[in-house]
Amino acid sequence: FGPRQEVTTLNGAQVQVVKNFTAPPPYGKAQVYVNQAQVQLADVGCTNGIVHIINSVLLPPQWQLATGTAAD
């Protein structure tokens, strides 16, 4: 695994995984990003598998967030 890798998700979408270091190994802490979301905690066990906690919401590329004002 290099510093940058394209990964295919379960639904076939592509995400970019980037691994950075705050300083050269073994001194720096690895920072891992999935698209622009930073992995805060990796390999957390749960009842249906293992998850990674990230600091953002990942949406499929075809999704668009709704903008505008709330209806009265």
Side-chain angles (χ1 to χ4, degrees):
F1 174 74
R4 187 176 303 260
Q5 182 177 9
E6 290 286 326
V7 178
T8 304
T9 65
L10 187 60
N11 70 351
Q14 294 289 311
V15 294
Q16 185 176 71
V17 178
V18 178
K19 185 175 182 181
N20 292 326
F21 286 93
T22 55
Y27 307 107
K29 180 181 177 190
Q31 297 175 335
V32 178
Y33 293 85
V34 178
N35 291 347
Q36 289 81 28
Q38 183 178 16
V39 176
Q40 302 292 304
L41 189 60
D43 299 334
V44 177
C46 59
T47 57
N48 63 344
I50 296 175
V51 298
H52 295 344
I53 308 302
I54 59 175
N55 67 350
S56 183
V57 176
L58 298 177
L59 295 174
Q62 66 273 17
W63 283 32
Q64 299 213 358
L65 295 177
T67 57
T69 58
D72 291 283

